[in-house]
Short mmCIF file of all heavy atoms in Angstrom, two decimals:
data_model
loop_
_atom_site.label_atom_id
_atom_site.label_comp_id
_atom_site.label_asym_id
_atom_site.label_seq_id
_atom_site.Cartn_x
_atom_site.Cartn_y
_atom_site.Cartn_z
N ASP V 1 0.77 -1.21 -0.03
CA ASP V 1 -0.08 -0.03 0.03
C ASP V 1 0.91 1.32 0.15
O ASP V 1 0.54 2.19 -0.74
CB ASP V 1 -0.92 0.03 1.19
CG ASP V 1 -1.96 -1.16 1.13
OD1 ASP V 1 -2.64 -1.20 0.18
OD2 ASP V 1 -2.10 -1.82 2.20
N TYR V 2 1.92 1.17 0.80
CA TYR V 2 2.75 2.39 0.89
C TYR V 2 4.24 2.02 0.85
O TYR V 2 4.65 1.21 1.41
CB TYR V 2 2.58 3.14 2.25
CG TYR V 2 1.21 3.68 2.59
CD1 TYR V 2 0.33 3.01 3.35
CD2 TYR V 2 0.95 4.99 2.11
CE1 TYR V 2 -0.92 3.56 3.67
CE2 TYR V 2 -0.36 5.50 2.29
CZ TYR V 2 -1.26 4.81 3.04
OH TYR V 2 -2.58 5.26 3.34
N LEU V 3 4.97 2.68 -0.03
CA LEU V 3 6.33 2.54 -0.16
C LEU V 3 7.00 3.93 0.08
O LEU V 3 6.76 4.96 -0.47
CB LEU V 3 6.80 2.20 -1.55
CG LEU V 3 8.25 2.11 -1.76
CD1 LEU V 3 9.05 1.06 -0.83
CD2 LEU V 3 8.70 1.75 -3.17
N ILE V 4 7.71 3.86 1.30
CA ILE V 4 8.50 5.18 1.73
C ILE V 4 9.97 4.96 1.35
O ILE V 4 10.73 4.24 1.93
CB ILE V 4 8.23 5.53 3.22
CG1 ILE V 4 6.81 5.70 3.52
CG2 ILE V 4 9.01 6.78 3.63
CD1 ILE V 4 6.11 4.51 4.01
N GLU V 5 10.33 5.74 0.39
CA GLU V 5 11.82 5.72 -0.04
C GLU V 5 12.49 7.00 0.46
O GLU V 5 12.52 8.08 -0.25
CB GLU V 5 11.90 5.68 -1.54
CG GLU V 5 13.16 5.23 -2.18
CD GLU V 5 13.17 4.97 -3.69
OE1 GLU V 5 13.15 6.08 -4.28
OE2 GLU V 5 13.09 3.83 -3.98
N CYS V 6 13.10 6.89 1.53
CA CYS V 6 13.50 7.99 2.31
C CYS V 6 14.88 8.48 1.79
O CYS V 6 15.77 7.71 1.72
CB CYS V 6 13.65 7.75 3.89
SG CYS V 6 14.29 9.18 4.85
N PRO V 7 15.07 9.72 1.42
CA PRO V 7 16.40 10.26 1.04
C PRO V 7 17.36 10.10 2.21
O PRO V 7 17.12 10.32 3.41
CB PRO V 7 16.19 11.76 0.68
CG PRO V 7 14.72 11.86 0.43
CD PRO V 7 14.07 10.76 1.24
N PHE V 8 18.57 9.51 1.88
CA PHE V 8 19.47 9.18 2.95
C PHE V 8 20.36 10.39 3.14
O PHE V 8 21.67 10.59 2.77
CB PHE V 8 20.51 7.97 2.61
CG PHE V 8 21.11 7.32 3.71
CD1 PHE V 8 20.27 6.70 4.75
CD2 PHE V 8 22.42 7.36 3.90
CE1 PHE V 8 20.89 6.13 5.87
CE2 PHE V 8 22.96 6.62 4.95
CZ PHE V 8 22.40 6.19 5.98
N THR V 9 19.82 11.50 3.91
CA THR V 9 20.49 12.75 4.05
C THR V 9 21.36 12.62 5.35
O THR V 9 21.33 11.73 6.11
CB THR V 9 19.34 13.81 4.37
OG1 THR V 9 18.53 13.38 5.52
CG2 THR V 9 18.47 13.98 3.15
N GLU V 10 22.13 13.70 5.52
CA GLU V 10 23.02 13.78 6.62
C GLU V 10 22.13 13.81 7.96
O GLU V 10 22.48 13.20 8.94
CB GLU V 10 23.80 15.14 6.62
CG GLU V 10 24.72 15.28 7.79
CD GLU V 10 25.96 14.37 7.66
OE1 GLU V 10 26.21 13.94 6.50
OE2 GLU V 10 26.71 14.08 8.74
N GLU V 11 20.98 14.38 7.95
CA GLU V 11 20.11 14.45 9.13
C GLU V 11 19.70 12.95 9.51
O GLU V 11 19.65 12.52 10.64
CB GLU V 11 18.82 15.21 8.84
CG GLU V 11 17.85 15.26 9.98
CD GLU V 11 16.54 16.20 9.77
OE1 GLU V 11 16.51 16.60 8.55
OE2 GLU V 11 15.77 16.24 10.48
N ILE V 12 19.34 12.19 8.43
CA ILE V 12 18.95 10.77 8.70
C ILE V 12 20.16 10.05 9.16
O ILE V 12 20.03 9.21 10.00
CB ILE V 12 18.45 10.15 7.40
CG1 ILE V 12 17.00 10.81 7.08
CG2 ILE V 12 18.23 8.67 7.51
CD1 ILE V 12 15.95 10.40 8.09
N MET V 13 21.27 10.20 8.63
CA MET V 13 22.46 9.48 9.01
C MET V 13 22.82 9.77 10.42
O MET V 13 23.33 8.77 11.14
CB MET V 13 23.69 9.90 8.11
CG MET V 13 23.59 9.41 6.58
SD MET V 13 24.99 10.02 5.69
CE MET V 13 26.40 9.41 6.51
N GLN V 14 22.63 10.90 10.90
CA GLN V 14 22.97 11.33 12.29
C GLN V 14 21.85 11.17 13.27
O GLN V 14 21.99 11.26 14.42
CB GLN V 14 23.41 12.79 12.31
CG GLN V 14 24.66 13.18 11.42
CD GLN V 14 25.85 12.34 11.91
OE1 GLN V 14 26.20 12.02 13.12
NE2 GLN V 14 26.59 11.89 10.86
N MET V 15 20.56 10.74 12.80
CA MET V 15 19.53 10.55 13.79
C MET V 15 19.69 9.32 14.71
O MET V 15 20.01 8.20 14.21
CB MET V 15 18.19 10.45 12.89
CG MET V 15 16.96 10.29 13.83
SD MET V 15 15.52 10.07 12.76
CE MET V 15 15.38 11.73 12.02
N GLU V 16 19.46 9.61 15.99
CA GLU V 16 19.60 8.52 16.95
C GLU V 16 18.59 7.45 16.72
O GLU V 16 17.41 7.85 16.34
CB GLU V 16 19.52 9.02 18.38
CG GLU V 16 20.71 9.99 18.71
CD GLU V 16 22.06 9.18 18.79
OE1 GLU V 16 22.02 7.95 18.95
OE2 GLU V 16 23.05 9.84 18.63
N ALA V 17 18.87 6.29 16.98
CA ALA V 17 17.82 5.29 16.79
C ALA V 17 16.48 5.47 17.55
O ALA V 17 15.47 5.13 16.99
CB ALA V 17 18.58 3.81 17.16
N GLU V 18 16.65 5.84 18.76
CA GLU V 18 15.33 6.05 19.64
C GLU V 18 14.49 7.19 18.96
O GLU V 18 13.35 7.11 18.90
CB GLU V 18 15.81 6.52 21.00
CG GLU V 18 16.46 5.50 21.78
CD GLU V 18 17.93 5.27 21.62
OE1 GLU V 18 18.54 6.06 20.72
OE2 GLU V 18 18.63 4.64 22.29
N THR V 19 15.09 8.16 18.35
CA THR V 19 14.40 9.30 17.69
C THR V 19 13.74 8.89 16.37
O THR V 19 12.61 9.04 16.18
CB THR V 19 15.31 10.45 17.32
OG1 THR V 19 15.96 10.96 18.41
CG2 THR V 19 14.67 11.62 16.65
N PHE V 20 14.54 7.98 15.79
CA PHE V 20 13.90 7.24 14.50
C PHE V 20 12.58 6.48 14.83
O PHE V 20 11.69 6.58 14.15
CB PHE V 20 14.86 6.40 13.79
CG PHE V 20 14.48 5.72 12.58
CD1 PHE V 20 14.19 6.39 11.36
CD2 PHE V 20 14.06 4.35 12.68
CE1 PHE V 20 13.69 5.80 10.27
CE2 PHE V 20 13.50 3.71 11.62
CZ PHE V 20 13.29 4.46 10.38
N ILE V 21 12.63 5.76 15.92
CA ILE V 21 11.48 4.87 16.39
C ILE V 21 10.42 5.87 16.69
O ILE V 21 9.25 5.65 16.23
CB ILE V 21 11.86 4.03 17.52
CG1 ILE V 21 12.88 2.95 17.14
CG2 ILE V 21 10.70 3.39 18.14
CD1 ILE V 21 13.40 2.21 18.30
N ALA V 22 10.59 6.81 17.38
CA ALA V 22 9.52 7.75 17.77
C ALA V 22 8.84 8.35 16.56
O ALA V 22 7.55 8.49 16.49
CB ALA V 22 10.04 8.83 18.71
N GLN V 23 9.70 8.85 15.42
CA GLN V 23 9.13 9.59 14.46
C GLN V 23 8.46 8.48 13.39
O GLN V 23 7.40 8.83 12.94
CB GLN V 23 10.35 10.24 13.66
CG GLN V 23 10.89 11.42 14.45
CD GLN V 23 11.78 12.28 13.57
OE1 GLN V 23 11.78 12.12 12.35
NE2 GLN V 23 12.49 13.23 14.23
N MET V 24 9.05 7.31 13.47
CA MET V 24 8.38 6.29 12.66
C MET V 24 6.95 5.98 13.06
O MET V 24 6.07 5.88 12.32
CB MET V 24 9.35 5.03 12.64
CG MET V 24 8.83 3.91 11.90
SD MET V 24 9.78 2.38 12.27
CE MET V 24 9.23 2.06 13.99
N VAL V 25 6.87 5.71 14.40
CA VAL V 25 5.56 5.33 14.87
C VAL V 25 4.57 6.40 14.61
O VAL V 25 3.41 6.33 14.38
CB VAL V 25 5.79 5.01 16.27
CG1 VAL V 25 4.28 4.63 16.99
CG2 VAL V 25 6.63 3.73 16.61
N GLN V 26 4.94 7.72 15.03
CA GLN V 26 4.10 8.79 14.92
C GLN V 26 3.63 9.10 13.39
O GLN V 26 2.43 9.25 13.11
CB GLN V 26 4.80 10.05 15.39
CG GLN V 26 3.93 11.39 15.25
CD GLN V 26 4.70 12.56 15.63
OE1 GLN V 26 5.73 12.55 16.00
NE2 GLN V 26 3.92 13.73 15.62
N ARG V 27 4.62 9.01 12.51
CA ARG V 27 4.39 9.56 11.10
C ARG V 27 3.60 8.36 10.35
O ARG V 27 2.86 8.63 9.42
CB ARG V 27 5.56 9.92 10.39
CG ARG V 27 6.28 11.19 10.99
CD ARG V 27 7.64 11.45 10.48
NE ARG V 27 8.17 12.65 11.02
CZ ARG V 27 9.37 13.01 10.73
NH1 ARG V 27 10.09 12.48 9.96
NH2 ARG V 27 9.91 14.15 11.51
N LEU V 28 3.93 7.16 10.68
CA LEU V 28 3.48 5.98 9.82
C LEU V 28 2.39 5.21 10.52
O LEU V 28 1.94 4.24 10.03
CB LEU V 28 4.54 5.13 9.43
CG LEU V 28 5.74 5.74 8.65
CD1 LEU V 28 6.83 4.68 8.41
CD2 LEU V 28 5.29 6.52 7.53
N ARG V 29 1.95 5.67 11.80
CA ARG V 29 1.03 5.09 12.61
C ARG V 29 1.17 3.59 12.72
O ARG V 29 0.26 2.81 12.37
CB ARG V 29 -0.41 5.44 11.99
CG ARG V 29 -0.73 6.88 11.99
CD ARG V 29 -2.26 7.16 11.93
NE ARG V 29 -2.90 6.64 13.00
CZ ARG V 29 -4.22 6.49 13.04
NH1 ARG V 29 -5.03 6.88 11.99
NH2 ARG V 29 -4.91 6.01 14.08
N VAL V 30 2.30 3.15 13.10
CA VAL V 30 2.69 1.71 13.01
C VAL V 30 2.11 0.90 14.12
O VAL V 30 2.11 1.41 15.37
CB VAL V 30 4.26 1.64 13.13
CG1 VAL V 30 4.71 0.10 13.22
CG2 VAL V 30 4.89 2.37 12.01
N LYS V 31 1.49 -0.14 14.01
CA LYS V 31 0.97 -1.04 14.93
C LYS V 31 1.72 -2.40 14.91
O LYS V 31 1.78 -3.11 15.96
CB LYS V 31 -0.55 -1.47 14.59
CG LYS V 31 -1.41 -0.22 14.54
CD LYS V 31 -1.42 0.66 15.85
CE LYS V 31 -1.87 -0.04 17.11
NZ LYS V 31 -1.87 0.81 18.28
N TRP V 32 2.42 -2.68 13.89
CA TRP V 32 3.22 -3.82 13.79
C TRP V 32 4.54 -3.44 12.99
O TRP V 32 4.50 -2.75 12.13
CB TRP V 32 2.67 -5.08 13.06
CG TRP V 32 1.80 -6.04 13.96
CD1 TRP V 32 0.47 -5.95 14.18
CD2 TRP V 32 2.33 -7.14 14.67
NE1 TRP V 32 0.16 -6.87 14.89
CE2 TRP V 32 1.15 -7.69 15.34
CE3 TRP V 32 3.63 -7.55 14.91
CZ2 TRP V 32 1.38 -8.74 16.14
CZ3 TRP V 32 3.60 -8.85 15.82
CH2 TRP V 32 2.62 -9.39 16.42
N VAL V 33 5.70 -3.92 13.58
CA VAL V 33 6.98 -3.81 12.87
C VAL V 33 7.47 -5.21 12.54
O VAL V 33 7.59 -6.03 13.43
CB VAL V 33 8.06 -3.02 13.68
CG1 VAL V 33 9.34 -2.92 12.83
CG2 VAL V 33 7.51 -1.72 14.10
N ILE V 34 7.92 -5.43 11.17
CA ILE V 34 8.41 -6.65 10.89
C ILE V 34 9.82 -6.49 10.43
O ILE V 34 10.02 -5.69 9.47
CB ILE V 34 7.58 -7.37 9.71
CG1 ILE V 34 5.99 -7.37 9.89
CG2 ILE V 34 8.10 -8.67 9.36
CD1 ILE V 34 5.64 -8.13 11.21
N ALA V 35 10.80 -6.92 11.08
CA ALA V 35 12.11 -6.67 10.78
C ALA V 35 13.08 -7.94 10.88
O ALA V 35 12.69 -8.88 11.65
CB ALA V 35 12.64 -5.66 11.77
N GLY V 36 14.08 -7.94 9.91
CA GLY V 36 15.01 -9.06 9.95
C GLY V 36 15.88 -9.03 11.18
O GLY V 36 16.15 -8.00 11.76
N THR V 37 16.42 -10.10 11.64
CA THR V 37 17.23 -10.23 12.70
C THR V 37 18.57 -9.45 12.54
O THR V 37 19.37 -9.10 13.59
CB THR V 37 17.61 -11.64 13.26
OG1 THR V 37 17.99 -12.40 12.01
CG2 THR V 37 16.26 -12.31 13.81
N ASP V 38 18.91 -9.27 11.33
CA ASP V 38 20.12 -8.56 10.97
C ASP V 38 19.97 -7.05 10.67
O ASP V 38 20.98 -6.33 10.38
CB ASP V 38 20.90 -9.16 9.88
CG ASP V 38 20.05 -9.08 8.52
OD1 ASP V 38 18.70 -8.89 8.59
OD2 ASP V 38 20.59 -9.12 7.44
N PHE V 39 18.81 -6.53 10.77
CA PHE V 39 18.49 -5.10 10.49
C PHE V 39 19.05 -4.25 11.40
O PHE V 39 18.93 -4.36 12.67
CB PHE V 39 16.93 -4.90 10.37
CG PHE V 39 16.54 -3.57 9.94
CD1 PHE V 39 16.84 -2.95 8.84
CD2 PHE V 39 15.91 -2.76 10.93
CE1 PHE V 39 16.49 -1.63 8.50
CE2 PHE V 39 15.53 -1.39 10.62
CZ PHE V 39 15.85 -0.92 9.39
N ARG V 40 19.70 -3.09 10.90
CA ARG V 40 20.33 -2.00 11.86
C ARG V 40 19.77 -0.74 11.39
O ARG V 40 19.57 -0.51 10.14
CB ARG V 40 21.84 -2.14 11.72
CG ARG V 40 22.44 -3.35 12.21
CD ARG V 40 22.24 -3.57 13.69
NE ARG V 40 22.94 -4.74 14.28
CZ ARG V 40 22.44 -5.98 14.27
NH1 ARG V 40 21.22 -6.20 13.77
NH2 ARG V 40 23.05 -6.96 14.72
N PHE V 41 19.63 0.18 12.17
CA PHE V 41 19.27 1.62 11.85
C PHE V 41 19.74 2.54 12.95
O PHE V 41 20.16 2.22 13.96
CB PHE V 41 17.73 1.67 11.84
CG PHE V 41 16.96 1.32 13.07
CD1 PHE V 41 16.62 2.40 13.91
CD2 PHE V 41 16.72 0.11 13.43
CE1 PHE V 41 15.88 2.14 15.17
CE2 PHE V 41 16.03 -0.29 14.67
CZ PHE V 41 15.64 0.84 15.45
N GLY V 42 19.62 3.83 12.48
CA GLY V 42 19.99 4.93 13.46
C GLY V 42 21.50 5.11 13.41
O GLY V 42 22.42 4.38 12.83
N HIS V 43 21.95 6.31 14.09
CA HIS V 43 23.34 6.67 14.16
C HIS V 43 24.21 5.53 14.70
O HIS V 43 23.88 4.97 15.70
CB HIS V 43 23.45 7.93 15.10
CG HIS V 43 24.76 8.55 15.18
ND1 HIS V 43 25.54 8.76 13.89
CD2 HIS V 43 25.65 8.86 16.09
CE1 HIS V 43 26.77 9.31 14.31
NE2 HIS V 43 26.81 9.44 15.52
N GLN V 44 25.21 5.29 13.94
CA GLN V 44 26.35 4.21 14.38
C GLN V 44 25.58 2.92 14.34
O GLN V 44 26.15 1.96 15.01
CB GLN V 44 26.98 4.59 15.53
CG GLN V 44 27.79 5.81 15.59
CD GLN V 44 28.44 6.14 16.86
OE1 GLN V 44 28.14 5.80 17.85
NE2 GLN V 44 29.56 7.02 16.72
#
């Protein structure tokens, strides 16, 4: 239904993982997250 292809900007690169989670849930109204065991996100 929705494909979000986010530009990989400096702001995204430096965003802390906790901040990303908060924004993701708020903007995308997430009720379930399906992720691979090797998936990594957020600064460092």
Side-chain angles (χ1 to χ4, degrees):
D1 294 310
Y2 295 99
L3 174 60
I4 299 94
E5 195 176 77
C6 180
F8 201 66
T9 61
E10 185 69 23
E11 180 182 359
I12 290 293
M13 289 174 63
Q14 298 300 324
M15 184 179 291
E16 294 297 335
E18 294 86 352
T19 303
F20 176 78
I21 292 173
Q23 294 193 10
M24 174 191 71
V25 175
Q26 177 187 4
R27 295 173 184 174
L28 306 182
R29 299 198 65 195
V30 177
K31 302 305 293 182
W32 271 96
V33 180
I34 312 298
T37 52
D38 63 336
F39 177 66
R40 299 291 184 275
F41 62 94
H43 184 50
Q44 298 181 337

